[in-house]
Amino acid sequence: MTTALCERTRAALPEYLAETLGESGRREVRGHLAVCAACRAEAASADPTLLFAFSNPPEVSSAEVASVVESVRAGIALREAERRIAPPAPRRASGRAARAAAAAAVLLLTLAISSGPPGSAPPAPAGKSVEAASAGPTALPGVAAVASPEGAPKASGGATVYDWNPGAGEPRVVWIVDGSLDI
Amino acid sequence: MELVYSESRRRQETAQAADRELVAEARGGDLLAFEALVARKTPAVLAVARRVVGNPEDARDVAQMVFLRVWEQLDRYDPTWSFNTWLYRIATNLSIDFLRSSRSRERAHGATLHLVRQREESTSLETTRAVEDGELERLFERVSHRLSAKQKAAFVLREMEDRDTREIAEILKCGESTVRNHLFNARRILRREIARLYPGLLRPETKS
């Protein structure tokens, strides 16, 4: 027997399918279709995708639940064991720290060489960089600031060349930072 | 009707309170509480996973991955949000990943060949006879293999799990309009596949 609710449900189906029906209207349609076989058949023949709205959830046996619980328990135990026996991760300097350390090491080395016999430093004009194929400088925080007052950094391949010439008889300092150097 | 509604709402609230309690205990490292939570939630997770990935064995693998992920990320869960939505998000995303994986594609290919063979052998399904639940599950698996993983997940959550579009948007991490778009396209593709494989299920005027 077709009731007013049946009529209303059937009239609301296009909106239901177009996702333009509000949530309360949608609940009413689903609620009615769940209990009215005639409307359900009518709806499914109008749009067969509605058949799937009323499929019961797949049956899950208690054995299946137990099997999932068991496998999760085993998975947790395995991960905990892996965590316990895993060697501690080696301490490794971060890329930026490694580059900064490399720069500092090269700078100290260069200073040591440059401050040898007096007057051994090449009399280059202040602010001029050494010849290096420039592929765009890569700024290194901290290090670039040291180089910038007198000499601009130049990049060549994976390395950046810094040239600092304070003039006034002071030794000229050139240092190279190789980004690929990992220490 | 109101009594039935109140009763079901009270049951839902009680279940949510129990979930919250178990989640809190599990967050404190209580493995037994977590196992109780797994046992409670397995049917729902398996239902979604089975509908999205398409077969019970794969769904069990997905469910296991889901609960291991939940255990590992419990400390990241914000208790002010619904635990079910968070769980559905993990279950749906892992099911989608699984469906997209090569292993799943290979299995789907095998299943498609099997279906083609089955269709050649029998046309008895091309009728408007009532479709039983088990039959519906198989029918959905047959006609949904052309849906994208997200379209399938959106359709399963909306039409079969009866979730609202806002929650689906949260689960799929997209906008509600995207969800509606997935649903629109999913219905279009499903209609076309049903018309192709089971024309008997369509009303005469909708066949053309």
Side-chain angles (χ1 to χ4, degrees):
Chain A
M1 193 182 78
T2 307
T3 64
L5 190 54
C6 293
E7 297 292 339
R8 209 162 61 229
T9 300
R10 290 176 194 191
L13 280 178
E15 280 186 85
Y16 176 97
L17 290 166
E19 293 291 336
T20 52
L21 197 61
E23 282 302 320
S24 61
R26 184 183 157 84
R27 263 198 298 276
E28 187 179 272
V29 167
R30 287 181 73 95
H32 180 68
L33 289 179
V35 295
C36 178
C39 283
R40 204 162 51 237
E42 174 71 20
S45 65
D47 189 322
T49 63
L50 285 169
L51 275 172
F52 304 121
F54 307 102
S55 62
N56 289 324
E59 272 183 32
V60 177
S61 65
S62 53
E64 268 182 297
V65 173
S67 144
V68 170
V69 173
E70 187 58 42
S71 59
V72 170
R73 184 186 298 141
I76 291 173
L78 179 67
R79 287 183 187 194
E80 294 297 322
E82 281 173 349
R83 205 164 292 148
R84 273 200 302 274
I85 62 172
R91 279 176 64 87
R92 192 163 179 266
S94 70
R96 183 180 290 183
R99 281 195 292 274
V106 175
L107 172 63
L108 289 173
L109 188 64
T110 313
L111 280 170
I113 293 166
S114 304
S115 61
S120 61
K128 298 286 183 193
S129 295
V130 293
E131 298 77 11
S134 179
T138 50
L140 292 173
V143 177
V146 173
S148 59
E150 300 294 329
K154 292 194 169 192
S156 175
T160 306
V161 180
Y162 294 84
D163 181 6
W164 185 41
N165 189 351
E170 290 297 319
R172 179 185 181 195
V173 180
V174 178
W175 74 94
I176 302 162
V177 178
D178 187 352
S180 63
L181 188 65
D182 191 3
I183 59 171
Chain B
M1 190 71 172
E2 185 57 35
L3 269 178
V4 173
Y5 179 70
S6 304
E7 181 63 30
S8 98
R9 203 164 80 167
R10 205 163 43 239
R11 209 172 294 147
Q12 205 178 354
E13 282 167 359
T14 310
Q16 279 171 1
D19 286 351
R20 270 198 299 274
E21 210 169 290
L22 287 173
V23 169
E25 287 168 13
R27 274 162 69 94
D30 186 339
L31 193 55
L32 284 179
F34 184 69
E35 284 180 12
L37 193 65
V38 173
R40 277 173 76 91
K41 298 296 173 184
T42 291
V45 169
L46 273 181
V48 173
R50 195 180 292 181
R51 282 164 159 168
V52 176
V53 303
N55 76 69
E57 292 78 24
D58 290 344
R60 268 201 296 276
D61 289 347
V62 170
Q64 184 193 352
M65 288 190 283
V66 168
F67 288 115
L68 285 174
R69 179 76 58 91
V70 168
W71 173 253
E72 285 174 343
Q73 299 193 347
L74 259 180
D75 54 343
R76 286 196 217 165
Y77 164 66
D78 177 357
T80 57
W81 286 68
S82 155
F83 177 74
N84 278 341
T85 301
W86 188 66
L87 180 66
Y88 265 89
R89 178 185 283 181
I90 294 174
T92 307
N93 287 333
L94 287 179
S95 299
I96 288 172
D97 290 347
F98 194 95
L99 194 62
R100 284 172 176 165
S101 71
S102 55
R103 178 182 165 205
S104 182
R105 276 200 300 276
E106 280 166 15
R107 288 193 186 188
H109 180 63
T112 308
L113 289 178
H114 173 69
L115 289 175
V116 171
R117 233 170 279 132
Q118 210 174 39
R119 189 176 172 232
E120 284 167 355
E121 284 165 9
S122 165
T123 55
S124 64
L125 267 169
E126 295 176 1
T127 62
T128 52
R129 70 184 159 82
V131 187
E132 302 293 331
D133 274 335
E135 194 71 40
L136 267 183
E137 211 178 307
R138 282 193 295 276
L139 177 72
F140 181 66
E141 199 33 49
R142 282 168 205 170
V143 296
S144 65
H145 68 276
R146 287 193 189 273
L147 299 181
S148 74
K150 285 225 166 162
Q151 286 167 346
K152 191 172 182 183
F155 186 83
V156 164
L157 290 170
R158 180 64 165 156
E159 207 62 2
M160 297 159 118
E161 298 286 328
D162 197 21
R163 303 274 150 182
D164 65 44
T165 49
R166 199 181 52 182
E167 190 181 0
I168 299 171
E170 274 175 28
I171 290 169
L172 297 179
K173 285 188 186 166
C174 61
E176 282 190 66
S177 59
T178 306
V179 171
R180 279 192 283 273
N181 202 29
H182 283 322
L183 291 169
F184 175 82
N185 285 318
R187 280 197 196 281
R188 183 174 53 79
I189 294 167
L190 288 173
R191 267 185 225 117
R192 190 186 66 204
E193 287 302 294
I194 291 172
R196 194 168 68 83
L197 296 169
Y198 307 107
L201 286 173
L202 297 176
R203 204 157 55 180
E205 66 267 31
T206 59
K207 280 185 188 176
S208 56

